[in-house]
Every structure is written in structure tokens, then in C-alpha cells.
Amino acid sequence: MPAALAIGDFSRATSLSIKTLRHYHRVGLLAPAQVDADTGYRWYTTDQIPTAQVIRRFRTLDMPLEQIHAVLQAPDLATRNELISAHLASLEQNLARTQSAVASLRDLLAGPSPAAPVSHRQVEAVTAAAVTAHIAMSDLVPWYSGALAELQATLEAQGLRTAGPTGGMFAGELFTDEAGQATVFVPTTTEVPRLGRVEPLLVPAAELAVIEHPGSLADVDRAYGSLAAYVADHELRLDGPIREYYLVGRQDTADEGQWRTEVCWPIFSTGAAA
């Protein structure tokens, strides 16, 4: 029989505080081997030390308690490894986002970079296949990815050809209130039938102030800032949804460094390029 350890000794053996051990007991993650019925005092056994050490290391990697519980209760090695691999992949994604944010911040602190040129463009109304929804800003990226995949699958299944770059239209409320209407569209040569979330859309004609943003969309706010300053300086602002055109985007390559995005602000008709 393995030797028993009082909770204080088990705490010292595992570098988990008594408060933490009590919490793990309450949530069913690491129950003591024995609980005194009269005093409520908890006793652990020496063979529980490796489990406590595994939990501590997973917590160091920010794995949520419910995921740790799933790993510990996994019915087989393959399931356990799949759960661990999924968390490690999530950590790698977070690390990549952190590194991108750090690089962007250092670039900002180094001083303002020359702003990309702004042009004016008149676009005609075009027929498109579109997905539209009222979403939270925090859900924009996963929603966009799902909508784009559905659009591409629908066009391929219908044998329809595209007639221009993929675009997006975003209501002002999405920025100001963190929730609003968003549309992802793909121009088409003919009108598409309604299928699932995909529906036909006539993207309206507009005059736009346009700036091109190269690379990842993680710092596309810099393009937005430059464009907003230009529109304000020239007193051209017109209410309406912001547009984005993905000249090269996630639909083309996973290499974010190759992405090219046009950010477009609706403006008063000037009839001339700036």
C-alpha cells in the first residue's frame, strides 16, 4: 500500500498550495485518497504525486482545468495525445499572435512609417454571391473564414465563375458598438441561387477612397487610421459601410506575408482621382 501524506506534506511534495489542492478536490480534478469524516481533513497517497505533477505542468501551459480533467480521464493513449496536441497547437497560435503584436508595437514605437498612397475609385454595381450576418466584432475572423469557405464551396458546386476579388462590407456599428452587420461577397458573372447562407447580392455602386495594406490583417488598423485621416483632412467622409477587397488573401495562400488588402472608405463623389 502506498504511504499516506497529510495535505500539508502533499502540498510540499507537489508545490501545489493547500488552497489549490482543496479547489482541485471541489472540481473533481484531484480527489484525496481519504477524507476524515469527522474533521474533513484530507489525506493523499504517494502514488498521487505524479498525477499532481502532471496537473501542475499543464496549468503552467495554461490548460483549462476541464481540459486537464479530460486528459486524465482519456480512455486510451491516442485520445490523450490528441487532446494534448490540440492544446499545444493553440499555444503555438497564441505565440504567433503575440510575436506579431510585439513586432507591430516595436514598429509603431520606432516612429511613423510613410503612409501608403490613397486613391479614389468609382466602382460600378456588381452581381455577387454573399453571406450576410449580424455578428460581434470578436467573432469576425472565424465568421469570415466560415462564410468564405461556404461561398467557395457553393460557387464550385454550381460551376459558377468569379468576376473579381473577394470583398467585405462592414457596417459602422460593427466598429463603434462591437456588433453589427457584416457581408462577405464574391462577384460572379451570373446571379447565384439562394443556397444555405449564400444568397445573391447586388453590391451597390460607390465612390471610394482606397488604401492598400500589405501583409497580415493583424495590423490593418494602421491602414484604417491613415485612410480615416486622409478622408477627414479632405472633408470627404460619407456615411456607409467600410469595404475591404482581398486582392490576395487567405483564400489564395496561408502565407500572411503575401496578403494584399484594399481598405475602402465611402466618400462624396468628386469625379477625379486624388
Side-chain angles (χ1 to χ4, degrees):
M1 293 291 291
L5 295 172
I7 190 170
D9 291 334
F10 193 73
S11 172
R12 285 186 284 272
T14 60
S15 297
L16 296 173
S17 70
I18 291 177
K19 179 181 178 180
T20 297
L21 289 170
R22 287 171 176 164
H23 179 62
Y24 289 173
H25 182 197
R26 284 194 299 271
V27 300
L29 182 61
L30 180 60
Q34 181 181 350
V35 179
D36 190 288
D38 296 325
T39 65
Y41 205 74
R42 297 167 173 85
W43 294 83
Y44 296 81
T45 56
T46 53
D47 62 359
Q48 289 180 285
I49 291 175
T51 300
Q53 292 171 335
V54 167
I55 293 172
R56 183 169 178 270
R57 279 159 178 75
F58 279 139
R59 289 301 293 147
T60 301
L61 293 174
D62 294 325
M63 181 179 282
L65 296 182
E66 59 271 18
Q67 291 186 21
I68 298 176
H69 186 270
V71 169
L72 296 178
Q73 298 300 316
D76 52 58
L77 183 62
T79 302
R80 186 194 69 182
N81 289 344
E82 183 178 343
L83 291 168
I84 295 173
S85 295
H87 182 67
L88 293 178
S90 176
L91 289 177
E92 289 171 345
Q93 292 173 358
N94 290 337
L95 177 60
R97 284 194 293 268
T98 299
Q99 290 173 332
S100 177
V102 169
S104 180
L105 180 58
R106 284 176 173 163
D107 190 30
L108 283 170
L109 293 176
S113 56
V118 176
S119 62
H120 292 189
R121 181 185 306 159
Q122 292 179 329
V123 296
E124 303 297 327
V126 296
T127 299
V131 174
T132 299
H134 189 280
I135 63 170
M137 176 61 86
S138 58
D139 296 330
L140 179 58
V141 172
W143 175 83
Y144 167 80
S145 298
L148 180 59
E150 189 169 346
L151 281 168
Q152 292 174 326
T154 299
L155 293 178
E156 183 177 350
Q158 297 290 326
L160 298 174
R161 292 189 303 166
T162 62
T166 299
M169 294 189 294
F170 308 102
E173 292 79 12
L174 190 60
F175 303 93
T176 58
D177 302 333
E178 298 184 0
Q181 183 170 291
T183 298
V184 175
F185 63 87
V186 179
T188 55
T189 54
T190 57
E191 184 173 309
V192 299
R194 187 184 301 269
L195 183 63
R197 293 189 300 168
V198 177
E199 57 186 5
L201 174 70
L202 183 65
V203 181
E207 180 155 356
L208 307 167
V210 182
I211 191 169
E212 184 174 313
H213 172 75
S216 169
L217 294 178
D219 57 353
V220 73
D221 59 322
R222 302 185 69 175
Y224 270 79
S226 297
L227 188 59
Y230 173 90
V231 171
D233 289 343
H234 292 78
E235 299 181 348
L236 295 170
R237 183 183 181 279
L238 184 68
D239 286 335
I242 295 290
R243 295 191 191 188
E244 292 181 355
Y245 288 99
Y246 310 105
L247 307 182
V248 180
R250 67 180 69 241
Q251 72 276 12
D252 304 302
T253 175
D255 182 1
E256 296 186 8
Q258 301 298 317
W259 292 1
R260 289 168 46 233
T261 305
E262 288 183 336
V263 181
C264 310
W265 200 297
I267 59 174
F268 289 108
S269 179
T270 62

